[in-house]
Amino acid sequence: NGEAVKACTMFAIQVNGAEITTIEGLATNGELHPMQKAFWENHGLQCGYCTPGMIMASVDMLKNNPNPTEEEIRHGLEGNFCRCTGYHNIVKSVKAAAESMQGGA
């Protein structure tokens, strides 16, 4: 229903009847969502294990703060763990998506 939640902490019954958007649901007509595209173009993913959570959390973050600073991005992604990238390219990806979604790139 438009609110980001951690799927690992939810029971299916808790979302019964809710509108659920997954990572696959972000793309439209075969076109990647700007956040998905930014992660791809800026090497914001490696093994892919954390990628869906990072992308979904980032999309939700930009709904409330369309032009976040690096510090705000890092704070907004707290609780999402990546063991591969060191977060630099994840933050870079979110920043690029924010600019793209505002028409700046």
Side-chain angles (χ1 to χ4, degrees):
N1 294 333
E3 179 182 342
V5 297
K6 292 181 182 175
C8 62
T9 62
M10 299 290 293
F11 292 111
I13 192 69
Q14 291 175 281
V15 294
N16 186 32
E19 180 180 329
I20 299 171
T21 303
T22 64
I23 188 76
E24 292 85 2
L26 290 179
T28 305
N29 297 324
E31 289 290 319
L32 293 177
H33 183 278
M35 187 66 70
Q36 292 170 308
K37 189 173 181 180
F39 265 69
W40 179 347
E41 291 175 347
N42 292 280
H43 310 287
L45 56 104
Q46 286 185 20
C47 79
Y49 188 77
C50 72
T51 305
M54 291 288 188
I55 289 177
M56 297 304 287
S58 298
V59 168
D60 187 62
M61 178 184 4
L62 293 186
K63 283 194 297 187
N64 299 314
N65 183 358
N67 190 24
T69 65
E70 180 177 330
E71 183 178 330
E72 290 169 330
I73 292 169
R74 290 181 182 276
H75 179 71
L77 294 177
E78 287 177 355
N80 292 283
F81 299 104
C82 175
R83 295 180 179 249
C84 299
T85 68
Y87 297 92
H88 175 76
N89 286 340
I90 292 171
V91 172
K92 183 177 168 185
S93 298
V94 175
K95 205 63 171 148
E99 291 174 8
S100 172
M101 292 166 73
Q102 291 181 16

